[in-house]
Amino acid sequence: MADTLRRLTNTSSFSVLQDKLESWHKDYHVISCDQNLNRCCELIELTAKIQGQLFAILNLAAAEGGHYAGVDTLKTRLLPWLGTCFSMARPSVTDDTSLQLIQDSVEKDRRIRELSVSHESDMQKMETQLCSTRLELDSVREELIDTQKELGETKSKSATTLLATEDEILQLKADLRSAREQVEIYKRKLEALDDYERQIRLLRDEVSYLSTEKAMLQERLVRSRSPSPLPRLSRSSSPARSESPTRAQLTNSSRHARLVSRLSDLYAVERLEAQNLLRRYIADLEMVQKIIFIAVMESFKTAKLAYRQFKLRVRKTLSSSHYGPESLEDAAVDYIVRNLDLYDVQASVNDVINAMNVNPRISFPPEVDFVLISTLIRETCRVAFAMQTLDPPLDLAFASDGELYNDCKYRRSYDSEFTAPLVMYHVWPALMEGDAVVVKGEAVTRRGAPRIVKAHGKAHVFPGDVSFFAVEQKPEQECQPCALSFSQPLSQSCI
């Protein structure tokens, strides 16, 4: 009996019965009627099996107790329970009520079957939709795979194209580099050609000079061979030196035209380049134009000083060995014309920049320096130095702010007031040959420009509206910069 009880305990039949009851209770309203009946029958069968095992244990326990052991328990508990379970209870409803209950049961079964059928049809529809959705999902996956393949192909093609483009860019850069090298080569060749042309012109000038000298020597030879009493008369007197034109005198007109043209090029090209360069740092156009004008004036001044010093050194060098027919002055000028490259233009550029740094009329930002316009200064110094070798030499006209506008020397700028009589400031100086104007300069005229008047040994600045007559009539007129009042009238002789 103990083994049977242990096996019943190990099988956990009541636990299985409880689990099945709970599962049936959860699914009762979901599953069909047949399934509910099947589960109920399954539970009855499981209960019967458990009851069978319990009756076997009851039999074994009663047998172990002998013939009389347990009789009272069986009589008081088992037999009454068996009588109660197997006794037929009388029905408490009438026949009509029973029939109505049967009809309700049949109607409920019919509804349950209809619901089951509709549920099955809905399930089939959902399965169909699920299948179609799966098919669409598979198609979308296939399209995604195809798209990924196309994207990979596009990436590979793009990479190939990019590599080809980079190769083309490198090739174009190489071609551009070679083209620039060729341009540099052509520039050097062009510079060499210009040097050759310059040498050819110099040689032609020398040939013309030698031809002229030859003709003069031949003429002198013919005169010396002709019978004339003049040679005998000249023996007693001192020999007269005949003057022959030097190279500087022969090439004076051509050099004059070339230098005037070069100065015009400086105004048209180098001046505008310097102006654009300065406008990057200075917003005031008037200040930029003043800086360029002062740079040109200082360049001519420095070049003239350098020419005089260079000429003195040449005269000192040639004085000990000069025996030619021309004078020492002409020989020095001719030497300078032949050796213009010996001019130390960089020293002149440095002197011009130093003079501009201390000029009170112009100002400059501290971030930059006047070296920015060193190209314009250098070329102007070269032109000014070469102009001093002409006969007569070329120079710039004197200019001062507030002077009366002279139509013979200047032309007005586009932004000038064409009725204003005074010059506000100068843009480009006028080129003079003695008192004659060779090339006009450019000036800006506006009303209200300050006028500089020299009186009593000092320079005084008066407003542009003050005339000579106003100064003469108002002795107490005050000078603006120095704030001085004149104690006596300004006459025409002291102005």
Side-chain angles (χ1 to χ4, degrees):
M1 188 274 294
D3 296 333
T4 305
L5 182 58
R6 185 176 61 253
R7 285 195 300 270
L8 181 61
T9 303
N10 293 331
T11 54
S12 301
S13 299
F14 290 99
S15 299
V16 175
L17 180 61
Q18 182 66 26
D19 294 338
K20 287 183 178 294
L21 282 173
E22 292 177 357
S23 176
W24 186 25
H25 179 266
K26 291 179 182 179
D27 301 337
Y28 180 78
H29 296 286
V30 179
I31 60 180
S32 62
C33 180
D34 293 335
Q35 292 176 351
N36 286 328
L37 293 176
N38 288 329
R39 290 197 179 185
C40 185
C41 292
E42 184 180 357
L43 291 174
I44 292 171
E45 290 176 357
L46 182 58
T47 304
K49 289 180 181 180
I50 296 172
Q51 287 179 354
Q53 292 178 2
L54 290 176
F55 276 111
I57 295 171
L58 181 63
N59 189 15
L60 293 175
E64 289 179 357
H67 293 284
Y68 301 102
V71 175
D72 295 336
T73 303
L74 293 175
K75 287 179 180 181
T76 58
R77 298 194 65 175
L78 179 62
L79 293 178
W81 176 75
L82 290 176
T84 303
C85 290
F86 291 99
S87 63
M88 293 298 293
R90 185 180 178 183
S92 60
V93 294
T94 62
D95 295 336
D96 295 335
T97 303
S98 177
L99 181 60
Q100 183 65 32
L101 291 174
I102 293 171
Q103 289 178 357
D104 292 339
S105 178
V106 171
E107 183 66 23
K108 289 181 179 179
D109 291 338
R110 185 180 62 78
R111 290 180 181 178
I112 290 172
R113 285 194 298 271
E114 290 177 356
L115 290 174
S116 177
V117 171
S118 64
H119 178 70
E120 289 178 357
S121 63
D122 293 338
M123 290 294 293
Q124 290 178 357
K125 289 180 181 179
M126 292 179 67
E127 289 179 356
T128 305
Q129 292 179 359
L130 181 61
C131 292
S132 62
T133 305
R134 287 178 179 175
L135 293 175
E136 291 178 358
L137 181 60
D138 294 336
S139 63
V140 171
R141 286 179 179 175
E142 292 177 357
E143 292 179 358
L144 180 60
I145 293 171
D146 296 337
T147 306
Q148 289 178 352
K149 291 181 180 179
E150 292 178 358
L151 180 61
E153 293 177 357
T154 305
K155 285 183 178 180
S156 61
K157 291 180 180 179
S158 300
T160 306
T161 307
L162 181 61
L163 291 175
T165 306
E166 290 180 354
D167 294 337
E168 292 178 357
I169 291 173
L170 294 176
Q171 183 64 30
L172 291 175
K173 287 183 178 179
D175 295 341
L176 180 61
R177 194 180 300 109
S178 62
R180 287 178 178 175
E181 292 177 355
Q182 291 179 359
V183 168
E184 293 295 332
I185 293 173
Y186 291 150
K187 284 183 178 179
R188 288 195 293 271
K189 289 182 178 179
L190 184 61
E191 292 176 357
L193 182 61
D194 293 337
D195 294 337
Y196 293 154
E197 291 179 353
R198 190 182 301 107
Q199 292 178 5
I200 289 173
R201 288 196 299 269
L202 294 176
L203 291 175
R204 286 178 180 175
D205 294 339
E206 290 181 358
V207 168
S208 62
Y209 167 72
L210 293 176
S211 299
T212 305
E213 190 174 359
K214 178 181 178 182
M216 295 182 65
L217 291 175
Q218 288 179 354
E219 183 179 357
R220 290 174 61 186
L221 181 62
V222 171
R223 287 180 181 179
S224 63
R225 289 180 180 179
S226 61
S228 175
L230 291 176
R232 289 198 260 338
L233 295 174
S234 61
R235 288 177 187 173
S236 59
S237 62
S238 61
R241 177 177 295 176
S242 64
E243 295 184 357
S244 59
T246 62
R247 178 182 175 180
Q249 296 172 351
L250 292 173
T251 61
N252 187 72
S253 60
S254 62
R255 288 187 294 111
H256 181 281
R258 180 171 57 84
L259 291 175
V260 171
S261 176
R262 179 55 184 150
L263 186 65
S264 300
D265 293 339
L266 289 177
Y267 170 79
V269 180
E270 279 82 354
R271 180 186 69 88
L272 295 179
E273 292 178 354
Q275 179 173 317
N276 294 333
L277 189 60
L278 289 174
R279 287 299 298 272
R280 298 178 184 177
Y281 307 96
I282 304 176
D284 189 7
L285 179 61
E286 178 180 348
M287 180 56 63
V288 171
Q289 292 177 345
K290 285 183 178 180
I291 289 174
I292 294 175
F293 175 77
I294 292 176
V296 174
M297 297 295 291
E298 291 292 340
S299 298
F300 262 81
K301 180 180 178 181
T302 306
K304 288 164 60 178
L305 179 61
Y307 175 77
R308 289 194 293 269
Q309 294 175 354
F310 189 74
K311 187 176 180 181
L312 289 175
R313 292 197 299 270
V314 171
R315 286 172 57 90
K316 184 177 181 180
T317 304
L318 295 179
S319 60
S320 60
S321 60
H322 176 68
Y323 296 102
E326 69 277 358
S327 63
L328 181 60
E329 182 75 15
D330 294 339
V333 173
D334 187 66
Y335 178 84
I336 295 174
V337 171
R338 293 173 182 269
N339 301 275
L340 289 176
D341 295 337
L342 298 179
Y343 169 48
D344 189 5
V345 66
Q346 186 60 41
S348 298
V349 171
N350 296 334
D351 294 339
V352 171
I353 293 175
N354 293 332
M356 292 177 66
N357 286 328
V358 297
N359 195 312
R361 296 175 57 193
I362 55 177
S363 60
F364 209 67
E367 293 82 4
V368 289
D369 192 4
F370 288 117
V371 181
L372 285 174
I373 57 174
S374 59
T375 302
L376 174 64
I377 297 174
R378 182 179 294 103
E379 296 302 322
T380 306
C381 289
R382 288 176 177 173
V383 172
F385 188 86
M387 283 182 176
Q388 305 310 307
T389 62
L390 299 176
D391 187 22
L394 299 179
D395 199 358
L396 299 181
F398 174 77
S400 63
D401 295 344
E403 66 178 349
L404 288 174
Y405 173 74
N406 189 351
D407 189 55
C408 297
K409 293 170 60 177
Y410 300 103
R411 59 175 178 273
R412 301 178 193 265
S413 62
Y414 69 95
D415 56 345
S416 297
E417 296 181 6
F418 290 89
T419 58
L422 301 180
V423 176
M424 176 66 71
Y425 64 92
H426 298 80
V427 178
W428 193 258
L431 184 64
M432 306 290 291
E433 184 177 3
D435 295 334
V437 178
V438 179
V439 179
K440 283 186 177 183
E442 183 177 349
V444 178
T445 59
R446 290 174 188 166
R447 292 191 176 275
R451 183 163 185 177
I452 299 177
V453 178
K454 290 186 177 179
H456 305 289
K458 294 183 180 180
H460 302 275
V461 181
F462 290 92
D465 297 334
V466 178
S467 61
F468 288 104
F469 300 101
V471 173
E472 290 179 357
Q473 294 174 2
K474 296 182 180 180
E476 68 276 4
Q477 181 68 33
E478 185 177 352
C479 178
Q480 291 179 356
C482 56
L484 295 177
S485 297
F486 298 109
S487 59
Q488 55 183 352
L490 296 178
S491 61
Q492 187 69 26
S493 60
C494 65
I495 296 180

Coordinates of all heavy atoms in Angstrom, one line a residue, residues 417 420-422 424 446-451 462-465:
E417 N 35.5 119.8 -59.8 CA 34.5 120.8 -60.0 C 35.1 121.7 -61.1 O 36.1 122.4 -60.8 CB 34.2 121.6 -58.7 CG 33.5 120.7 -57.7 CD 33.2 121.5 -56.4 OE1 33.5 122.7 -56.4 OE2 32.8 120.9 -55.4
A420 N 35.9 125.4 -60.3 CA 36.7 125.8 -59.2 C 38.0 126.3 -59.7 O 38.7 125.7 -60.6 CB 36.9 124.6 -58.3
P421 N 38.6 127.4 -59.2 CA 39.8 128.0 -59.7 C 41.1 127.4 -59.0 O 42.2 127.6 -59.5 CB 39.7 129.5 -59.3 CG 38.8 129.5 -58.1 CD 37.9 128.3 -58.2
L422 N 40.9 126.8 -57.9 CA 42.1 126.3 -57.1 C 42.2 124.8 -57.2 O 41.2 124.1 -57.4 CB 42.0 126.7 -55.7 CG 41.9 128.2 -55.4 CD1 41.8 128.5 -53.9 CD2 43.1 129.0 -56.0
M424 N 42.8 121.3 -55.5 CA 42.7 120.7 -54.2 C 44.0 119.8 -54.0 O 44.6 119.9 -53.0 CB 41.5 119.8 -54.2 CG 41.3 119.0 -52.9 SD 41.1 120.1 -51.4 CE 39.5 120.7 -51.7
R446 N 38.5 121.8 -56.7 CA 37.3 121.9 -56.0 C 37.2 123.2 -55.3 O 38.2 123.8 -55.0 CB 37.1 120.8 -54.9 CG 37.0 119.4 -55.6 CD 37.0 118.3 -54.5 NE 37.0 117.0 -55.2 CZ 37.3 115.9 -54.5 NH1 37.6 115.9 -53.2 NH2 37.2 114.7 -55.1
R447 N 36.0 123.7 -55.0 CA 35.9 124.9 -54.3 C 36.2 124.7 -52.8 O 35.9 123.6 -52.3 CB 34.4 125.4 -54.5 CG 34.1 125.9 -55.9 CD 32.8 126.6 -55.9 NE 32.6 127.2 -57.3 CZ 33.1 128.3 -57.7 NH1 33.8 129.1 -56.9 NH2 32.9 128.7 -59.0
G448 N 36.7 125.7 -52.2 CA 37.1 125.6 -50.8 C 38.4 125.0 -50.6 O 38.8 124.7 -49.4
A449 N 39.2 124.9 -51.6 CA 40.6 124.3 -51.5 C 41.5 125.3 -50.7 O 41.4 126.5 -51.0 CB 41.2 124.0 -52.8
P450 N 42.3 124.9 -49.8 CA 43.2 125.8 -49.1 C 44.2 126.4 -50.0 O 44.7 125.8 -51.0 CB 43.9 124.9 -48.1 CG 43.8 123.5 -48.7 CD 42.6 123.5 -49.4
R451 N 44.6 127.7 -49.7 CA 45.6 128.4 -50.6 C 46.8 128.7 -49.7 O 46.6 129.3 -48.6 CB 45.0 129.6 -51.2 CG 45.9 130.3 -52.1 CD 45.2 131.3 -53.0 NE 46.2 131.9 -54.0 CZ 45.8 132.7 -54.9 NH1 44.6 133.1 -55.0 NH2 46.7 133.2 -55.7
F462 N 45.5 129.9 -46.2 CA 44.3 130.6 -46.1 C 43.2 129.8 -46.8 O 43.5 129.0 -47.7 CB 44.3 132.0 -46.7 CG 45.2 132.9 -45.9 CD1 46.5 133.0 -46.3 CD2 44.7 133.6 -44.9 CE1 47.3 133.9 -45.6 CE2 45.5 134.5 -44.2 CZ 46.8 134.6 -44.5
P463 N 41.9 129.9 -46.3 CA 40.8 129.2 -47.0 C 40.8 129.6 -48.5 O 41.3 130.7 -48.9 CB 39.6 129.6 -46.3 CG 40.1 130.1 -45.0 CD 41.4 130.6 -45.2
G464 N 40.2 128.7 -49.3 CA 40.2 128.9 -50.7 C 39.4 130.1 -51.2 O 39.6 130.7 -52.2
D465 N 38.5 130.6 -50.4 CA 37.6 131.8 -50.7 C 38.4 133.1 -50.5 O 37.9 134.2 -50.9 CB 36.4 131.8 -49.9 CG 35.5 130.6 -50.2 OD1 35.7 130.0 -51.3 OD2 34.7 130.2 -49.3

